Amino acid sequence: MTLDGKAALITGGSRGIGEAIAIRLAEDGADVALTYRDRADRAADIVERIKALGRRALAVRADSADPEAPRAAVAGAAAEFGRLDILVNNAGVGVLGPVTELSLEDIDRALDINVRAPFLTAQAAVERLSDGGRIINIGSCMAERIAFPGGSLYATSKTALTGLTKALARELGPRGITVNLIHPGPIDTDMNPADGESAAMQRGFTALGRYGLPSEVAATVAHLAGESGRYISGASIAVDGGFAA
Ligand code: NDP
């Protein structure tokens, strides 16, 4: 197993892409802590699945909109496992709509959860991450290509992660810590179901003509998290079926 003995924290790990990442990293050998906001039942179920794989697991209720939550989540994971090697900033919300219809509340929510929380979580993790560790941020293909109207706020929030990723890659490189950004395309989850209203349009914007699976994003996270990813840092990697092509 490539991640044997490693400990990972994944924000928003109770469903969708985060769930797939949690399971994949555990399959690869890591102990996994995951955060969630509402779905304690789903989080508990995933903890049991990870334990069944022979790994340690922990679910932490932590609303990314709360500025205190990141530090508590990082401290909880590090205390449970005695170390922290991998942080995956995955929790996010899709706030879409015409720019004139976005309220101040919408803007604050998107920026708090999609930008401030990854920043604060990375900031809290830096002092705990082992040398040679990993930070993997989950962005969006809409940071690379705006294929349809209504993405001003979401794209703004996800594009901010490029700056965070590159700057942290520079800052943490001397410790052998890599920092990367994955831009998923349309992935079949509760946030963006493959049978949703705009699914046919989104499918049409991909080169492959289909939605991706959460496990297809998790596979790239696993690559970056493992030894195979050790010389990749500061990169933005599309897992988008050619959405940005
Ligand atoms: P889902 O909505 O399916 O799942 C979101 C997960 O994040 C859940 O575990 C949820 O917890 C958690 N979460 C949501 N808000 C918060 C919060 N405020 N605090 C803590 N946890 C929270 O999303 P996806 O799996 O589709 O998306 C995961 C990431 O991938 C997001 O950053 C998203 O922007 C990005 N992405 C998704 C794409 C897609 O097509 N699906 C495309 C491009 C990017 P709970 O279960 O408790 O509600």
Side-chain angles (χ1 to χ4, degrees):
M1 295 286 183
T2 57
L3 298 180
D4 275 351
K6 305 286 188 195
L9 170 64
I10 299 149
T11 66
S14 50
R15 289 182 288 125
I17 294 171
E19 170 183 357
I21 294 169
I23 297 294
R24 174 60 194 264
L25 295 189
E27 285 172 349
D28 284 4
D31 295 325
V32 175
L34 55 97
T35 72
Y36 66 96
R37 185 187 53 187
D38 300 318
R39 297 297 305 270
D41 53 334
R42 291 292 309 247
D45 175 57
I46 292 160
V47 163
E48 288 313 309
R49 285 163 59 199
I50 293 170
K51 286 183 176 169
L53 292 166
R55 315 287 167 232
R56 291 182 291 172
L58 171 74
V60 183
R61 185 177 186 284
D63 185 346
S64 294
D66 173 359
E68 303 301 327
R71 188 157 288 279
V74 168
E80 180 78 7
F81 302 138
R83 59 186 296 148
L84 186 64
D85 305 284
I86 301 159
L87 166 65
V88 184
N89 273 315
N90 165 76
V93 285
V95 187
L96 300 169
V99 67
T100 50
E101 290 176 19
L102 295 166
S103 65
L104 188 56
E105 193 181 40
D106 291 330
I107 296 166
D108 283 345
R109 182 162 152 263
L111 297 181
D112 285 355
I113 296 172
N114 293 357
V115 182
R116 188 178 66 183
F119 191 105
L120 290 175
T121 311
Q123 187 183 45
V126 160
E127 60 196 26
R128 312 247 186 186
L129 272 177
S130 54
D131 289 356
R134 306 280 193 263
I135 297 177
I136 300 162
N137 297 317
I138 304 297
S140 167
C141 59
M142 287 180 66
E144 296 289 320
R145 179 190 180 204
I146 309 295
F148 48 87
S152 59
L153 178 53
Y154 186 62
T156 297
S157 72
K158 290 298 189 177
T159 306
L161 296 178
T162 303
L164 177 64
T165 300
K166 291 187 177 196
L168 285 183
R170 281 282 167 208
E171 203 163 320
L172 303 181
R175 289 173 52 196
I177 296 172
T178 70
V179 188
N180 291 292
L181 176 59
I182 294 176
H183 289 311
I187 306 295
D188 185 15
T189 66
D190 293 340
M191 181 191 281
N192 187 8
D195 60 358
E197 234 174 58
S198 67
M201 175 188 70
Q202 292 185 57
R203 200 175 280 116
F205 287 129
T206 68
L208 295 179
R210 69 169 177 88
Y211 265 56
L213 302 171
S215 60
E216 291 171 324
V217 179
T220 298
V221 173
H223 177 65
L224 292 171
E227 266 304 288
S228 51
R230 66 179 183 263
Y231 199 58
I232 305 172
S233 197
S236 298
I237 300 168
V239 183
D240 68 355
F243 183 97

